[in-house]
Amino acid sequence: MLNKSLKEFTEITFSKEPVPGGGGVSGLVGSLAASLSGMVTSLTTGKKKYAEYEDEIQSIMKQADKLRIELLEGVNKDAEAFYPLSKAYAIPKEEAGRDEKLEECLKVAADSPFNILKLTCKVIELDERLAVIGSKLAISDAATSAMFAHGALYGAYVNVVVNTRLMKDKEYASNLENEAKSLLDEYAPRAIKCYNEVLARL
């Protein structure tokens, strides 16, 4: 999936193909958010005006690049997680072992967007700091990153829930949903706050 051009990726997403879907696209959007965070560091590092933050900027740059790669890998991982689930749905309901197989596939399918959600939260943490110490010429990119991350949060969350709601293991499903909702409730407002604080400074 990652070898596709942007044009091809959007065309496949547009089509009736099962992947990439909401989870994978959320991973891509999260990766773009991390890329923008990295852009801010690239435009800040080495500048005398921000010399006191140079070590921190370098650290954030490394973190942003790691998140960029991990979130981009999440696009493929989400596709790989969904294919077995789509096949499990096709198993005749009367076939022995179908429920167990479906349950296993649902857990794998939910784990992928949950990981995207967790990684995206880390992007927002970087943006919060970059909005303060990043070059003023680039803080609008930190704000843009925060809002991309905000969208990715919600996209990842709903793709967790679409799988947990079908699980037989309600305790497992509830725990995963609650953890995902806790992250969403904490980080979505933080992304908005970051955006608004940057906007007020422009």
Side-chain angles (χ1 to χ4, degrees):
M1 194 62 65
L2 297 183
N3 293 325
K4 304 291 185 185
S5 68
L6 288 174
K7 180 175 181 291
E8 290 171 332
F9 188 93
T10 57
E11 286 173 346
I12 296 169
T13 303
F14 190 101
S15 76
K16 62 181 180 181
E17 290 297 317
V19 293
V25 171
S26 295
L28 175 59
V29 173
S31 180
L32 289 170
S35 299
L36 283 169
S37 301
M39 179 182 180
V40 179
T41 66
S42 294
L43 291 169
T44 306
T45 186
K47 301 289 179 64
K48 290 182 179 180
K49 185 175 181 180
Y50 305 99
E52 64 181 300
Y53 304 117
E54 182 62 23
D55 288 346
E56 189 176 0
I57 288 294
Q58 286 293 322
S59 175
I60 293 174
M61 181 183 288
K62 291 177 182 177
Q63 293 175 66
D65 196 39
K66 185 171 183 289
L67 288 167
R68 175 188 66 81
I69 293 168
E70 290 177 335
L71 281 158
L72 199 57
E73 289 172 345
V75 177
N76 272 348
K77 289 179 179 178
D78 190 73
E80 290 166 2
F82 185 78
Y83 274 124
L85 179 60
S86 63
K87 291 180 180 179
Y89 279 126
I91 298 172
K93 292 184 178 181
E94 65 276 7
E95 186 171 318
R98 179 186 186 274
D99 289 347
E100 291 75 13
K101 181 65 177 176
L102 185 58
E103 185 77 2
E104 176 188 345
C105 290
L106 284 167
K107 288 180 178 180
V108 172
D111 185 62
S112 176
F114 180 63
N115 188 54
I116 289 170
L117 176 63
K118 290 189 294 183
L119 292 171
T120 303
C121 291
K122 294 180 181 180
V123 176
I124 292 169
E125 291 175 359
L126 300 185
D127 289 333
E128 289 174 324
R129 187 60 181 151
L130 288 171
V132 177
I133 68 172
S135 168
K136 288 185 179 179
L137 297 176
I139 57 171
S140 61
D141 296 300
T144 304
S145 172
M147 292 312 296
F148 271 43
H150 183 270
L153 284 180
Y154 277 93
Y157 174 74
V158 76
N159 279 279
V160 171
V161 174
V162 75
N163 290 299
T164 54
R165 295 291 169 89
L166 297 174
M167 292 178 187
K168 302 285 186 185
D169 186 345
K170 296 305 180 185
E171 181 178 359
Y172 180 93
S174 179
N175 288 338
L176 187 60
E177 271 190 39
N178 289 339
E179 192 172 351
K181 185 64 161 60
S182 178
L183 289 171
L184 182 71
D185 287 347
E186 177 183 354
Y187 282 89
R190 286 172 64 169
I192 295 291
K193 184 172 184 288
C194 178
Y195 177 86
N196 285 333
E197 287 178 351
V198 170
L199 188 63
R201 291 168 57 196
L202 298 181

